Amino acid sequence: MTAQRTPDARAVSPLELFFDLVFVLALGQLTHHLVAHLTWRGAAETLVALIAVVGIWTFTTFEVAMLDIERRGTKAVTVVVMALGLFANAGIAHAFDDSPWLFVIPMLAALIGPSAYATLTAPNAPLRAHFGRVLIWFAVSTPFWLIGAAMAPDARLAFWAVGAAIDLVGTWLAHPLPGHRMRSTALSFDAEHIVERMRLFLIIMLGETVLTLGRVIADHHDDALILTLAFGCFLALVCLWQMYFARAEQQVVDHLTGSADPIAAVHIGLSAIYGVVAGLVLFAAGAETLLAHAHEPAAHVAGVLILLGPAVYLLSQAFYFRRETGSGWIPRVVGAAVLCVAAAAAYWLPAWLVVLTLVVILGALAIQFSRDTTRATTG
């Protein structure tokens, strides 16, 4: 059975784009938390918060695509989730110390409320059953979030990590229950629309990383070394942008429009978003810290992060392309492996050499992808 796709892709609405802008704050807050807590525990806290806030975006994006943003009720739910997401994202700063409720209550409401709405109002029985199973998964994870918020900060992370793991596994597995899961091939779905949502979300996340560099440039406007390294970091971001938007995006669209199960393919893409955002957070935190200590003899943890971030970014995209298109994943894996090897040595290298290494590796990859695009176009 083939998927019943809509004949024309619906354009991304202004409300959906407005919703996405709330998550600019999330990336900034996650980056700031990691910069302020450059420890293993700080990294774990950042990852838990990232799973929660990216979960809000992925779940709402999928729900809106299935329920139709033009419906009055769907518009209202989107605005409510946007407000809840604003508070949850702002709450990241103190979620792991003296103000956990500002983070956890809006986050849970942003996940559970729309699920309940979709369970009652989805246009067909399979979708209503699916969102009902989502509610059951949230019923399992919610106690861990609430108990963790009530615990002292030292114990909170363990409970929240369990809650985040349940939510992440539920998302990646499409919230199944024994003997029950969504038969996505039988449902109508506008795959091109959600690809456009992911495209715009990636641009917004890259744009927030550019803003991080801009703040550093403004704070160190008279330091030639920092300005030069900031330009190098900007070039690295351009390379990351080019490696997806040169041709890979069209490959995704072509694959989805010809797929017998576009919902499953989009689900893989939404799952990969977690890794993409994690990679950009690592890069932004590494860049901000590295540039602030550019004159020190060694880059230390910042040097590791600024190389490891793009590696995670590339591996996340490689996961999608390997699973769905079967092409374009090998160069990403190779590039990520080279970046990881460089990251292992970056702790002891000076900042200028770390940034130079980053630009050379990503620049070589970008050139390779450009050549592949040219050959594909002329061929």
Side-chain angles (χ1 to χ4, degrees), residues 14-377:
L15 179 57
E16 289 173 295
L17 183 57
F18 192 24
F19 174 84
D20 290 350
L21 292 176
V22 169
F23 292 86
V24 172
L25 173 62
L27 186 67
Q29 291 289 81
L30 292 167
T31 300
H32 294 157
H33 186 82
L34 184 56
V35 168
H37 304 85
L38 278 179
T39 63
W40 287 110
R41 181 181 179 86
E45 292 174 351
T46 304
L47 179 60
V48 166
L50 184 149
I51 291 171
V53 298
V54 175
I56 295 173
W57 186 85
T58 56
F59 183 78
T60 306
T61 296
F62 180 78
E63 181 189 25
V64 166
M66 298 303 296
L67 299 186
D68 185 6
I69 191 64
E70 299 304 325
R71 294 171 58 186
R72 183 176 300 176
T74 306
K75 288 182 178 180
V77 167
T78 303
V79 172
V80 170
V81 173
M82 184 166 59
L84 292 169
L86 175 64
F87 280 87
N89 295 340
I92 293 172
H94 299 287
F96 293 92
D97 46 53
D98 60 351
S99 187
W101 299 106
L102 179 61
F103 169 74
V104 79
I105 293 298
M107 181 270 292
L108 290 174
L111 292 172
I112 296 172
S115 300
Y117 170 78
T119 301
L120 296 173
T121 65
N124 54 63
L127 270 182
R128 292 193 294 272
H130 168 71
F131 287 115
R133 291 190 292 272
V134 172
L135 281 176
I136 294 174
W137 275 81
F138 285 149
V140 176
S141 66
T142 294
F144 291 97
W145 288 107
L146 295 176
I147 293 170
M151 300 292 288
D154 290 343
R156 183 174 304 145
L157 177 61
F159 286 92
W160 280 7
V162 175
I166 294 171
D167 289 341
L168 184 63
V169 170
T171 299
W172 284 358
L173 298 181
H175 300 97
L177 291 178
H180 300 279
R181 65 181 305 135
M182 183 170 65
R183 295 182 57 193
S184 53
T185 55
L187 299 175
S188 177
F189 188 65
D190 187 353
E192 290 186 51
H193 173 78
I194 208 162
V195 169
E196 180 69 5
R197 289 294 308 278
M198 290 189 288
R199 171 182 181 269
L200 293 174
F201 186 69
L202 177 56
I203 291 175
I204 289 171
M205 294 297 100
L206 288 169
E208 166 57 21
T209 310
V210 171
L211 292 179
T212 298
L213 295 176
R215 288 191 291 269
V216 173
I217 292 171
D219 292 340
H220 301 276
H221 56 89
D222 57 352
D223 190 312
L225 176 61
I226 293 178
L227 295 179
T228 302
L229 296 183
F231 180 69
C233 292
F234 172 74
L235 290 179
L237 280 176
V238 172
C239 292
L240 293 177
W241 170 85
Q242 190 273 344
M243 280 183 272
Y244 180 76
F245 289 99
R247 180 167 176 262
E249 180 191 17
Q250 188 57 47
Q251 287 180 318
V252 171
V253 173
D254 293 342
H255 172 74
L256 287 175
T257 54
S259 173
D261 193 354
I263 291 181
V266 163
H267 174 253
I268 297 296
L270 290 173
S271 298
I273 287 288
Y274 288 86
V276 169
V277 175
L280 291 176
V281 168
L282 290 172
F283 175 81
E288 184 174 337
T289 306
L290 184 75
L291 295 176
H293 302 87
H295 293 280
E296 295 184 5
H300 299 302
V301 175
V304 177
L305 294 181
I306 203 172
L307 290 164
L308 192 60
V312 173
Y313 175 97
L314 290 173
L315 284 175
S316 301
Q317 292 187 354
F319 164 74
Y320 176 84
F321 284 102
R322 175 65 181 86
R323 286 287 302 271
E324 294 302 321
T325 70
S327 64
W329 63 276
I330 293 179
R332 288 176 169 85
V333 171
V334 172
V338 174
L339 286 165
C340 287
V341 171
Y347 188 93
W348 297 275
L349 300 178
W352 67 268
L353 185 53
V354 171
V355 173
L356 178 61
T357 301
L358 174 69
V359 172
V360 168
I361 295 172
L362 294 183
L365 282 171
I367 291 171
Q368 180 62 45
F369 277 98
S370 295
R371 289 175 176 172
D372 291 344
T373 301
T374 301
R375 283 196 292 267
T377 303

